[in-house]
Amino acid sequence: MAALTALVEGMAPRGARKALRTLGGLAGKARGETRAIVAGATRLVALAGAQEAYAAGSVGDARALLATATKATTRIAADELALGAAAIGILDGRVEQAITALERLTQVLPEAWIHLGLAHDRRGRGAEALEAWRRARKAGVRFAPLEEWIAAKERVFGEVAP
């Protein structure tokens, strides 16, 4: 029950650190199915915290939380973990590696189109960035600056939205 409580608390804004401390204490004692629940909860809480930190511009915190998520021995949210790693990879200059991962992830996580556009933009491939962002919009991805980014690229390239 403590693992589930920590999961719920960890998914709340700014709740990840405290929940991860609780889950860390449970991990050493857990056996069988409880161990799997603790590992899954740890991954989910760490990913939520990483996303929150990334959105707040705390890349170091996001990186640390992604490392915690990676250490959790579970297959839960493997694609989301790969997306987070690719986003950090772009910031760390591993853009081509991130592009490779993101191209695969667009098949299962439409949000990957946003990051793929950022990666292409980082490489100076504005037309490819525009196409990725259009695909994100078409897939129904909700991201506040998306429409502004598309409009800006369309002005640069003199294109009208299809």
PDB file of all heavy atoms in Angstrom, residues 2-3 5-26 41-42 45-46 49 52 65:
ATOM      1  N   ALA A   2       1.986   1.220   0.666  1.00  0.00           N
ATOM      2  CA  ALA A   2       2.871   2.393   0.719  1.00  0.00           C
ATOM      3  C   ALA A   2       3.393   2.738  -0.670  1.00  0.00           C
ATOM      4  O   ALA A   2       3.553   3.922  -1.000  1.00  0.00           O
ATOM      5  CB  ALA A   2       4.031   2.135   1.671  1.00  0.00           C
ATOM      6  N   ALA A   3       3.643   1.728  -1.503  1.00  0.00           N
ATOM      7  CA  ALA A   3       4.139   1.981  -2.856  1.00  0.00           C
ATOM      8  C   ALA A   3       3.089   2.702  -3.688  1.00  0.00           C
ATOM      9  O   ALA A   3       3.412   3.630  -4.441  1.00  0.00           O
ATOM     10  CB  ALA A   3       4.541   0.670  -3.534  1.00  0.00           C
ATOM     11  N   THR A   5       0.637   4.581  -2.530  1.00  0.00           N
ATOM     12  CA  THR A   5       0.502   5.928  -1.970  1.00  0.00           C
ATOM     13  C   THR A   5       1.624   6.824  -2.507  1.00  0.00           C
ATOM     14  O   THR A   5       1.380   7.965  -2.912  1.00  0.00           O
ATOM     15  CB  THR A   5       0.532   5.886  -0.426  1.00  0.00           C
ATOM     16  OG1 THR A   5      -0.541   5.076   0.022  1.00  0.00           O
ATOM     17  CG2 THR A   5       0.416   7.277   0.164  1.00  0.00           C
ATOM     18  N   ALA A   6       2.842   6.300  -2.527  1.00  0.00           N
ATOM     19  CA  ALA A   6       3.978   7.070  -3.047  1.00  0.00           C
ATOM     20  C   ALA A   6       3.792   7.373  -4.526  1.00  0.00           C
ATOM     21  O   ALA A   6       4.126   8.471  -4.988  1.00  0.00           O
ATOM     22  CB  ALA A   6       5.280   6.300  -2.813  1.00  0.00           C
ATOM     23  N   LEU A   7       3.239   6.424  -5.274  1.00  0.00           N
ATOM     24  CA  LEU A   7       2.979   6.657  -6.695  1.00  0.00           C
ATOM     25  C   LEU A   7       2.015   7.822  -6.874  1.00  0.00           C
ATOM     26  O   LEU A   7       2.282   8.738  -7.649  1.00  0.00           O
ATOM     27  CB  LEU A   7       2.423   5.390  -7.350  1.00  0.00           C
ATOM     28  CG  LEU A   7       1.918   5.540  -8.793  1.00  0.00           C
ATOM     29  CD1 LEU A   7       3.056   5.970  -9.720  1.00  0.00           C
ATOM     30  CD2 LEU A   7       1.301   4.247  -9.265  1.00  0.00           C
ATOM     31  N   VAL A   8       0.929   7.802  -6.169  1.00  0.00           N
ATOM     32  CA  VAL A   8      -0.068   8.878  -6.280  1.00  0.00           C
ATOM     33  C   VAL A   8       0.537  10.217  -5.862  1.00  0.00           C
ATOM     34  O   VAL A   8       0.387  11.223  -6.562  1.00  0.00           O
ATOM     35  CB  VAL A   8      -1.323   8.549  -5.440  1.00  0.00           C
ATOM     36  CG1 VAL A   8      -2.264   9.744  -5.367  1.00  0.00           C
ATOM     37  CG2 VAL A   8      -2.044   7.337  -6.023  1.00  0.00           C
ATOM     38  N   GLU A   9       1.252  10.238  -4.746  1.00  0.00           N
ATOM     39  CA  GLU A   9       1.871  11.476  -4.284  1.00  0.00           C
ATOM     40  C   GLU A   9       2.953  11.951  -5.241  1.00  0.00           C
ATOM     41  O   GLU A   9       3.131  13.151  -5.454  1.00  0.00           O
ATOM     42  CB  GLU A   9       2.440  11.281  -2.882  1.00  0.00           C
ATOM     43  CG  GLU A   9       1.372  11.118  -1.826  1.00  0.00           C
ATOM     44  CD  GLU A   9       1.926  10.759  -0.446  1.00  0.00           C
ATOM     45  OE1 GLU A   9       3.149  10.520  -0.314  1.00  0.00           O
ATOM     46  OE2 GLU A   9       1.116  10.720   0.492  1.00  0.00           O
ATOM     47  N   GLY A  10       3.676  11.008  -5.820  1.00  0.00           N
ATOM     48  CA  GLY A  10       4.759  11.363  -6.735  1.00  0.00           C
ATOM     49  C   GLY A  10       4.295  11.930  -8.053  1.00  0.00           C
ATOM     50  O   GLY A  10       5.033  12.639  -8.723  1.00  0.00           O
ATOM     51  N   MET A  11       3.065  11.625  -8.438  1.00  0.00           N
ATOM     52  CA  MET A  11       2.536  12.141  -9.696  1.00  0.00           C
ATOM     53  C   MET A  11       1.973  13.554  -9.533  1.00  0.00           C
ATOM     54  O   MET A  11       1.685  14.215 -10.519  1.00  0.00           O
ATOM     55  CB  MET A  11       1.460  11.196 -10.237  1.00  0.00           C
ATOM     56  CG  MET A  11       1.982   9.790 -10.526  1.00  0.00           C
ATOM     57  SD  MET A  11       3.375   9.724 -11.674  1.00  0.00           S
ATOM     58  CE  MET A  11       2.531   9.967 -13.217  1.00  0.00           C
ATOM     59  N   ALA A  12       1.831  14.003  -8.309  1.00  0.00           N
ATOM     60  CA  ALA A  12       1.362  15.371  -8.049  1.00  0.00           C
ATOM     61  C   ALA A  12       2.506  16.343  -8.331  1.00  0.00           C
ATOM     62  O   ALA A  12       3.681  15.980  -8.223  1.00  0.00           O
ATOM     63  CB  ALA A  12       0.908  15.502  -6.590  1.00  0.00           C
ATOM     64  N   PRO A  13       2.184  17.582  -8.688  1.00  0.00           N
ATOM     65  CA  PRO A  13       3.250  18.566  -8.923  1.00  0.00           C
ATOM     66  C   PRO A  13       4.207  18.655  -7.731  1.00  0.00           C
ATOM     67  O   PRO A  13       3.775  18.698  -6.583  1.00  0.00           O
ATOM     68  CB  PRO A  13       2.489  19.880  -9.127  1.00  0.00           C
ATOM     69  CG  PRO A  13       1.142  19.436  -9.615  1.00  0.00           C
ATOM     70  CD  PRO A  13       0.857  18.133  -8.906  1.00  0.00           C
ATOM     71  N   ARG A  14       5.469  18.648  -8.041  1.00  0.00           N
ATOM     72  CA  ARG A  14       6.559  18.760  -7.064  1.00  0.00           C
ATOM     73  C   ARG A  14       6.555  17.637  -6.014  1.00  0.00           C
ATOM     74  O   ARG A  14       7.109  17.776  -4.935  1.00  0.00           O
ATOM     75  CB  ARG A  14       6.542  20.142  -6.392  1.00  0.00           C
ATOM     76  CG  ARG A  14       6.838  21.277  -7.365  1.00  0.00           C
ATOM     77  CD  ARG A  14       6.772  22.647  -6.717  1.00  0.00           C
ATOM     78  NE  ARG A  14       5.508  22.972  -6.080  1.00  0.00           N
ATOM     79  CZ  ARG A  14       4.393  23.374  -6.711  1.00  0.00           C
ATOM     80  NH1 ARG A  14       4.384  23.488  -7.997  1.00  0.00           N
ATOM     81  NH2 ARG A  14       3.302  23.656  -6.026  1.00  0.00           N
ATOM     82  N   GLY A  15       5.948  16.503  -6.349  1.00  0.00           N
ATOM     83  CA  GLY A  15       5.890  15.406  -5.398  1.00  0.00           C
ATOM     84  C   GLY A  15       6.898  14.302  -5.654  1.00  0.00           C
ATOM     85  O   GLY A  15       7.009  13.367  -4.858  1.00  0.00           O
ATOM     86  N   ALA A  16       7.650  14.388  -6.739  1.00  0.00           N
ATOM     87  CA  ALA A  16       8.517  13.283  -7.145  1.00  0.00           C
ATOM     88  C   ALA A  16       9.625  12.981  -6.141  1.00  0.00           C
ATOM     89  O   ALA A  16       9.836  11.819  -5.780  1.00  0.00           O
ATOM     90  CB  ALA A  16       9.120  13.569  -8.518  1.00  0.00           C
ATOM     91  N   ARG A  17      10.337  13.968  -5.679  1.00  0.00           N
ATOM     92  CA  ARG A  17      11.494  13.732  -4.800  1.00  0.00           C
ATOM     93  C   ARG A  17      11.105  12.988  -3.524  1.00  0.00           C
ATOM     94  O   ARG A  17      11.736  12.001  -3.159  1.00  0.00           O
ATOM     95  CB  ARG A  17      12.199  15.047  -4.450  1.00  0.00           C
ATOM     96  CG  ARG A  17      12.865  15.710  -5.618  1.00  0.00           C
ATOM     97  CD  ARG A  17      14.141  15.022  -5.956  1.00  0.00           C
ATOM     98  NE  ARG A  17      14.798  15.736  -7.054  1.00  0.00           N
ATOM     99  CZ  ARG A  17      15.798  15.250  -7.706  1.00  0.00           C
ATOM    100  NH1 ARG A  17      16.303  14.084  -7.392  1.00  0.00           N
ATOM    101  NH2 ARG A  17      16.343  15.925  -8.680  1.00  0.00           N
ATOM    102  N   LYS A  18      10.064  13.449  -2.865  1.00  0.00           N
ATOM    103  CA  LYS A  18       9.624  12.811  -1.626  1.00  0.00           C
ATOM    104  C   LYS A  18       9.161  11.382  -1.906  1.00  0.00           C
ATOM    105  O   LYS A  18       9.507  10.445  -1.177  1.00  0.00           O
ATOM    106  CB  LYS A  18       8.500  13.616  -0.983  1.00  0.00           C
ATOM    107  CG  LYS A  18       7.985  13.009   0.306  1.00  0.00           C
ATOM    108  CD  LYS A  18       6.862  13.832   0.901  1.00  0.00           C
ATOM    109  CE  LYS A  18       6.331  13.130   2.157  1.00  0.00           C
ATOM    110  NZ  LYS A  18       5.070  13.696   2.574  1.00  0.00           N
ATOM    111  N   ALA A  19       8.389  11.211  -2.960  1.00  0.00           N
ATOM    112  CA  ALA A  19       7.894   9.875  -3.302  1.00  0.00           C
ATOM    113  C   ALA A  19       9.034   8.931  -3.652  1.00  0.00           C
ATOM    114  O   ALA A  19       9.011   7.755  -3.275  1.00  0.00           O
ATOM    115  CB  ALA A  19       6.901   9.974  -4.460  1.00  0.00           C
ATOM    116  N   LEU A  20      10.036   9.435  -4.343  1.00  0.00           N
ATOM    117  CA  LEU A  20      11.173   8.582  -4.702  1.00  0.00           C
ATOM    118  C   LEU A  20      11.969   8.163  -3.473  1.00  0.00           C
ATOM    119  O   LEU A  20      12.503   7.049  -3.428  1.00  0.00           O
ATOM    120  CB  LEU A  20      12.065   9.282  -5.730  1.00  0.00           C
ATOM    121  CG  LEU A  20      11.451   9.370  -7.126  1.00  0.00           C
ATOM    122  CD1 LEU A  20      12.295  10.272  -8.027  1.00  0.00           C
ATOM    123  CD2 LEU A  20      11.280   7.994  -7.739  1.00  0.00           C
ATOM    124  N   ARG A  21      12.040   9.023  -2.469  1.00  0.00           N
ATOM    125  CA  ARG A  21      12.695   8.622  -1.214  1.00  0.00           C
ATOM    126  C   ARG A  21      11.918   7.476  -0.558  1.00  0.00           C
ATOM    127  O   ARG A  21      12.504   6.489  -0.108  1.00  0.00           O
ATOM    128  CB  ARG A  21      12.816   9.812  -0.260  1.00  0.00           C
ATOM    129  CG  ARG A  21      13.935  10.773  -0.631  1.00  0.00           C
ATOM    130  CD  ARG A  21      14.228  11.788   0.482  1.00  0.00           C
ATOM    131  NE  ARG A  21      13.084  12.641   0.788  1.00  0.00           N
ATOM    132  CZ  ARG A  21      12.768  13.764   0.134  1.00  0.00           C
ATOM    133  NH1 ARG A  21      13.528  14.171  -0.872  1.00  0.00           N
ATOM    134  NH2 ARG A  21      11.715  14.480   0.490  1.00  0.00           N
ATOM    135  N   THR A  22      10.603   7.598  -0.536  1.00  0.00           N
ATOM    136  CA  THR A  22       9.770   6.536   0.030  1.00  0.00           C
ATOM    137  C   THR A  22       9.935   5.242  -0.759  1.00  0.00           C
ATOM    138  O   THR A  22      10.138   4.167  -0.185  1.00  0.00           O
ATOM    139  CB  THR A  22       8.277   6.962   0.025  1.00  0.00           C
ATOM    140  OG1 THR A  22       8.137   8.146   0.806  1.00  0.00           O
ATOM    141  CG2 THR A  22       7.395   5.863   0.563  1.00  0.00           C
ATOM    142  N   LEU A  23       9.875   5.342  -2.075  1.00  0.00           N
ATOM    143  CA  LEU A  23      10.005   4.153  -2.929  1.00  0.00           C
ATOM    144  C   LEU A  23      11.391   3.530  -2.797  1.00  0.00           C
ATOM    145  O   LEU A  23      11.527   2.301  -2.807  1.00  0.00           O
ATOM    146  CB  LEU A  23       9.700   4.509  -4.384  1.00  0.00           C
ATOM    147  CG  LEU A  23       8.221   4.832  -4.654  1.00  0.00           C
ATOM    148  CD1 LEU A  23       8.071   5.524  -6.000  1.00  0.00           C
ATOM    149  CD2 LEU A  23       7.374   3.569  -4.583  1.00  0.00           C
ATOM    150  N   GLY A  24      12.405   4.362  -2.655  1.00  0.00           N
ATOM    151  CA  GLY A  24      13.763   3.853  -2.467  1.00  0.00           C
ATOM    152  C   GLY A  24      13.881   3.042  -1.189  1.00  0.00           C
ATOM    153  O   GLY A  24      14.540   1.994  -1.157  1.00  0.00           O
ATOM    154  N   GLY A  25      13.228   3.500  -0.136  1.00  0.00           N
ATOM    155  CA  GLY A  25      13.230   2.762   1.126  1.00  0.00           C
ATOM    156  C   GLY A  25      12.497   1.438   1.013  1.00  0.00           C
ATOM    157  O   GLY A  25      12.876   0.453   1.649  1.00  0.00           O
ATOM    158  N   LEU A  26      11.466   1.405   0.177  1.00  0.00           N
ATOM    159  CA  LEU A  26      10.699   0.171  -0.005  1.00  0.00           C
ATOM    160  C   LEU A  26      11.405  -0.823  -0.913  1.00  0.00           C
ATOM    161  O   LEU A  26      11.224  -2.036  -0.768  1.00  0.00           O
ATOM    162  CB  LEU A  26       9.326   0.495  -0.602  1.00  0.00           C
ATOM    163  CG  LEU A  26       8.382   1.323   0.253  1.00  0.00           C
ATOM    164  CD1 LEU A  26       7.159   1.722  -0.556  1.00  0.00           C
ATOM    165  CD2 LEU A  26       7.972   0.528   1.486  1.00  0.00           C
ATOM    166  N   ALA A  41       6.386   1.934 -10.063  1.00  0.00           N
ATOM    167  CA  ALA A  41       6.053   3.229  -9.464  1.00  0.00           C
ATOM    168  C   ALA A  41       7.252   4.167  -9.507  1.00  0.00           C
ATOM    169  O   ALA A  41       7.113   5.357  -9.804  1.00  0.00           O
ATOM    170  CB  ALA A  41       5.569   3.034  -8.026  1.00  0.00           C
ATOM    171  N   THR A  42       8.432   3.621  -9.233  1.00  0.00           N
ATOM    172  CA  THR A  42       9.654   4.433  -9.279  1.00  0.00           C
ATOM    173  C   THR A  42       9.859   5.009 -10.665  1.00  0.00           C
ATOM    174  O   THR A  42      10.131   6.208 -10.826  1.00  0.00           O
ATOM    175  CB  THR A  42      10.874   3.591  -8.852  1.00  0.00           C
ATOM    176  OG1 THR A  42      10.677   3.157  -7.505  1.00  0.00           O
ATOM    177  CG2 THR A  42      12.168   4.387  -8.959  1.00  0.00           C
ATOM    178  N   VAL A  45       7.082   7.742 -11.422  1.00  0.00           N
ATOM    179  CA  VAL A  45       7.280   8.961 -10.632  1.00  0.00           C
ATOM    180  C   VAL A  45       8.515   9.723 -11.122  1.00  0.00           C
ATOM    181  O   VAL A  45       8.478  10.950 -11.283  1.00  0.00           O
ATOM    182  CB  VAL A  45       7.381   8.638  -9.126  1.00  0.00           C
ATOM    183  CG1 VAL A  45       7.866   9.840  -8.326  1.00  0.00           C
ATOM    184  CG2 VAL A  45       6.034   8.156  -8.599  1.00  0.00           C
ATOM    185  N   ALA A  46       9.592   9.002 -11.381  1.00  0.00           N
ATOM    186  CA  ALA A  46      10.812   9.656 -11.861  1.00  0.00           C
ATOM    187  C   ALA A  46      10.591  10.308 -13.222  1.00  0.00           C
ATOM    188  O   ALA A  46      11.066  11.421 -13.471  1.00  0.00           O
ATOM    189  CB  ALA A  46      11.962   8.656 -11.913  1.00  0.00           C
ATOM    190  N   GLY A  49       8.511  13.451 -12.692  1.00  0.00           N
ATOM    191  CA  GLY A  49       9.373  14.490 -12.125  1.00  0.00           C
ATOM    192  C   GLY A  49      10.335  15.059 -13.149  1.00  0.00           C
ATOM    193  O   GLY A  49      10.580  16.269 -13.185  1.00  0.00           O
ATOM    194  N   GLU A  52       8.470  17.391 -15.443  1.00  0.00           N
ATOM    195  CA  GLU A  52       8.199  18.645 -14.735  1.00  0.00           C
ATOM    196  C   GLU A  52       9.469  19.505 -14.654  1.00  0.00           C
ATOM    197  O   GLU A  52       9.434  20.714 -14.902  1.00  0.00           O
ATOM    198  CB  GLU A  52       7.674  18.329 -13.334  1.00  0.00           C
ATOM    199  CG  GLU A  52       7.281  19.545 -12.543  1.00  0.00           C
ATOM    200  CD  GLU A  52       6.713  19.190 -11.167  1.00  0.00           C
ATOM    201  OE1 GLU A  52       6.885  18.055 -10.688  1.00  0.00           O
ATOM    202  OE2 GLU A  52       6.101  20.084 -10.568  1.00  0.00           O
ATOM    203  N   LEU A  65      16.654  12.721 -12.634  1.00  0.00           N
ATOM    204  CA  LEU A  65      15.433  11.942 -12.508  1.00  0.00           C
ATOM    205  C   LEU A  65      15.324  10.891 -13.613  1.00  0.00           C
ATOM    206  O   LEU A  65      14.840   9.774 -13.371  1.00  0.00           O
ATOM    207  CB  LEU A  65      14.215  12.859 -12.496  1.00  0.00           C
ATOM    208  CG  LEU A  65      14.059  13.644 -11.189  1.00  0.00           C
ATOM    209  CD1 LEU A  65      13.178  14.863 -11.375  1.00  0.00           C
ATOM    210  CD2 LEU A  65      13.523  12.740 -10.089  1.00  0.00           C
TER     211      LEU A  65
END
